[in-house]
Amino acid sequence: MKSRKKRGIALTSAAVLGILFAFAGTCSFSLWKAQGDSMAPAIQKGERVWINKLAYLFGKPQQGELVAFHCDVYSEDGEGSTLIKRVAATEGDSVEIKDGTFYVNGRVYNEFAAELVYMEPMEEVTVKEGEVFVLSDDRSAALDSRDSAVGTLKISELTGKVCFK
């Protein structure tokens, strides 16, 4: 009888732990399917990525990280969709585009660019505290912080960090 009771407790405990683990995983991560090519070659159209929704709860995004955010503007990913972009600059950094080239803190920033393309001029701006400036890896895709409809993003507006492909 005792053995049966212990077995029942063990099964119930395992079930409860399984439910808690599934709930924690759902709250911590989400799976997203890329709809467009703006982040190629890092993320291809149709590729699935995991987004860590807790990544910026206690930390801040770093230059070069891929981040997800909700955007109500119509894009190749659809209207009101989750977009993935790369952090090009963080709080306190100055960014500008002159002579078709993107600069961060006065230095050319070509990291992660799929190819070098001419970009429209942009006056120098300093990224405010608690914000980031994001770019598409495909620099010809302009729905990123260069577009006033997106602009710089508050860290609190980020859905999370892309952590697995």
Side-chain angles (χ1 to χ4, degrees):
M1 186 76 163
K2 273 189 170 180
S3 164
R4 212 173 184 181
K5 188 175 180 180
K6 284 183 182 178
R7 187 174 184 209
I9 291 171
L11 287 174
T12 302
S13 297
V16 168
L17 285 174
I19 291 169
L20 287 174
F21 182 74
F23 179 73
T26 302
C27 292
S28 303
F29 293 92
S30 64
L31 186 61
W32 180 80
K33 182 179 177 183
Q35 302 297 315
D37 294 317
S38 69
M39 291 307 296
I43 299 174
Q44 303 293 330
K45 184 175 185 174
E47 189 172 16
R48 295 184 184 275
V49 296
W50 285 98
I51 299 169
N52 178 348
K53 295 190 267 183
L54 301 178
Y56 302 125
L57 195 58
F58 301 107
K60 293 185 178 182
Q62 301 297 311
Q63 188 180 53
E65 290 181 350
L66 295 174
V67 296
F69 60 96
H70 181 77
C71 183
D72 289 325
V73 177
Y74 182 80
S75 72
E76 63 182 314
D77 295 335
E79 187 172 358
S81 58
T82 297
L83 300 180
I84 302 288
K85 302 296 175 190
R86 191 173 302 277
V87 175
T90 59
E91 57 188 21
D93 288 338
S94 65
V95 295
E96 71 177 315
I97 301 172
K98 63 181 179 185
D99 301 323
T101 303
F102 185 78
Y103 293 86
V104 176
N105 298 326
R107 294 192 172 138
V108 174
Y109 182 81
N110 288 329
E111 282 77 9
F112 309 106
E115 62 181 276
L116 299 180
V117 297
Y118 177 83
M119 292 187 278
E120 292 296 318
M122 184 185 85
E123 298 270 331
E124 182 176 346
V125 296
T126 300
V127 180
K128 294 177 186 171
E129 184 176 341
E131 295 186 356
V132 292
F133 189 100
V134 296
L135 279 178
S136 303
D137 282 0
D138 177 358
R139 302 293 201 264
S140 64
L143 191 58
D144 52 32
S145 290
R146 294 173 288 168
D147 189 316
S148 61
V150 175
T152 56
L153 300 168
K154 290 183 172 96
I155 294 171
S156 61
E157 295 174 327
L158 300 177
T159 305
K161 174 183 176 181
V162 175
C163 54
F164 304 110
K165 290 192 338 176

